[in-house]
Amino acid sequence: MSKNLKTFSLLLLTIIGLASTKLNAQSLKKENKTTFSIETDPSTFAFGGYAFHIRIKPKNSEHFVIGAGVYALDLPSLMVDLNKDNKAKGWNVRINSAYSLFGEYYFKEASNRWFVGLQTGIQNYKNTNSNILNKESKYSNLLIMPSLGYTWSPFKFPLYVKPWVGLGYTTKISGDNSIDNLNYTISPLVPFATLHIGYILN
């Protein structure tokens, strides 16, 4: 092989190597940038409330997503009646406002497929009772809830669905959960299941 051919071959390999490195770096940079998602829970609107959440995949995070959210809803009678002490006693229970922080660990990659999560937050309740008119009770609970879920992106555009289940620990931190002589029993363990819909912004 001539000297010129060797030089050309070496130069060509160097260019290919540099181009490959640049493309890999650009691809890695694109994958590792911070991304934001917005989510909602459609069921809250069906129960007279709302839900707005933001999720953040930090730069260089391969498995972790963090976030925050606000929500409100009227608890369906099924959830109220899970506690036999409250069943069929006329309670109307509303989470009037709630604020939570979230952390999610994805086994495959961030924001894709199976994950385990943990949320902690404050829930502000407003209860009424159909047996006692024109009176209400207000109190706040601390909620800590581990969860298990699945994030699925069935479309070419960045819309995803996220069904998940959780079991929360809750305890009253302020206020009064009684109306006259009736006491609403706060369950320490609360099972929960829902489906979020989200959209990746970038």
Side-chain angles (χ1 to χ4, degrees):
M1 183 180 292
S2 69
K3 184 177 179 181
N4 289 340
L5 186 57
K6 286 182 179 179
T7 302
F8 176 77
S9 299
L10 182 60
L11 183 59
L12 182 61
L13 288 173
T14 301
I15 292 172
I16 292 173
L18 289 173
S20 177
T21 300
K22 185 176 181 180
L23 287 173
N24 287 336
Q26 288 177 342
S27 177
L28 187 62
K29 183 178 180 181
K30 183 178 179 181
E31 291 177 358
N32 287 341
K33 71 177 183 179
T34 300
T35 58
F36 296 86
S37 303
I38 53 173
E39 292 182 14
T40 189
D41 182 342
S43 67
T44 58
F45 295 92
F47 291 108
Y50 57 85
F52 300 102
H53 302 266
I54 185 168
R55 294 291 189 273
I56 304 170
K57 182 192 81 66
K59 182 178 180 180
N60 298 322
S61 174
E62 296 182 358
H63 300 283
F64 284 100
V65 173
I66 58 176
V70 296
Y71 59 94
L73 74 155
D74 296 323
L75 291 188
S77 58
L78 177 64
M79 289 192 67
V80 175
D81 291 346
L82 284 176
N83 188 320
K84 60 181 179 60
D85 293 336
N86 301 321
K87 187 174 182 179
K89 292 188 176 179
W91 288 109
N92 305 299
V93 182
R94 177 174 176 81
I95 300 178
N96 210 35
S97 62
Y99 311 91
S100 287
L101 299 175
F102 298 84
E104 297 166 352
Y105 176 86
Y106 286 80
F107 297 102
K108 180 177 174 60
E109 60 181 343
S111 302
N112 190 24
R113 300 191 182 180
W114 290 103
F115 70 89
V116 290
L118 181 67
Q119 71 163 292
T120 181
I122 303 297
Q123 297 176 321
N124 301 308
Y125 282 81
K126 182 173 70 174
N127 292 4
T128 60
N129 192 290
S130 56
N131 297 313
I132 303 175
L133 300 179
N134 302 319
K135 289 190 176 183
E136 63 184 28
S137 65
K138 293 182 178 180
Y139 58 95
S140 297
N141 281 355
L142 170 68
L143 173 71
I144 300 173
M145 179 181 287
S147 60
L148 172 67
Y150 189 89
T151 298
W152 179 44
S153 302
F155 310 107
K156 291 184 178 180
F157 55 94
L159 182 74
Y160 61 87
V161 293
K162 182 195 288 186
W164 60 272
V165 296
L167 181 63
Y169 167 77
T170 185
T171 183
K172 187 177 75 171
I173 56 175
S174 66
D176 186 5
N177 52 306
S178 298
I179 300 178
D180 286 350
N181 62 333
L182 296 180
N183 182 70
Y184 180 78
T185 301
I186 299 172
S187 302
L189 294 178
V190 180
F192 190 72
T194 193
L195 182 145
H196 284 192
I197 296 177
Y199 189 88
I200 300 174
L201 297 174
N202 56 350

